[in-house]
Amino acid sequence: MDGIVLLGDNITKIIEVTEERKKEREKVTEAQLEISRLNLQAAQEQKEAKLIEAYNYLLVRDTSNMSEEAKASREKTLQKMEKKLFGTDDE
C-alpha cells in the first residue's frame, strides 16, 4: 500500500513540475513575441526615417540644372513620398 501512495505522490510531483515548466515556457514565448514586436516596430521606424531623409534630400536639392524631365520625375517622386509619409492624396 505504501508503494501505491509513494507512486501517487511521485506522479503528483511530476504533474506539478510539468505544469510549472509549461507556465515558464509560455512566459518565455510571450517575452520572445514582445521582443519580435519591438524589433519590427524599430525596423519600421528606421525605414520611415530613411524615407524622410531621402524626401528631405530631394526637397532641398537644387533643380536649376535639371532637365524638365528630371524635374517632373523629382516632383512625381516627392508626391509619392508625401503620400507614403503624410497620407496626402492630392491626385
Side-chain angles (χ1 to χ4, degrees):
M1 197 64 148
D2 287 337
I4 294 174
V5 171
L6 186 60
L7 181 62
D9 289 344
N10 285 342
I11 290 173
T12 302
K13 287 179 185 178
I14 290 171
I15 291 171
E16 288 173 358
V17 168
T18 302
E19 286 298 317
E20 287 177 27
R21 287 182 179 169
K22 181 181 176 184
K23 288 177 185 177
E24 288 300 315
R25 283 193 307 269
E26 287 173 356
K27 287 180 185 178
V28 169
T29 299
E30 288 174 14
Q32 288 172 335
L33 286 171
E34 180 65 11
I35 289 168
S36 294
R37 186 189 67 75
L38 292 173
N39 284 339
L40 177 61
Q41 181 180 355
Q44 289 170 334
E45 289 173 359
Q46 287 175 345
K47 181 180 174 184
E48 184 175 359
K50 287 182 180 183
L51 186 58
I52 290 172
E53 186 178 319
Y55 174 79
N56 284 334
Y57 171 77
L58 282 176
L59 196 60
V60 298
R61 189 168 177 200
D62 181 19
T63 59
S64 61
N65 293 326
M66 286 186 186
S67 68
E68 290 304 314
E69 183 179 314
K71 288 179 185 179
S73 176
R74 174 188 166 273
E75 188 61 34
K76 187 175 180 181
T77 300
L78 284 170
Q79 287 175 355
K80 287 182 180 181
M81 289 176 138
E82 287 170 359
K83 186 174 182 180
K84 179 96 172 156
L85 289 169
F86 313 117
T88 59
D89 194 7
D90 296 335
E91 293 179 14

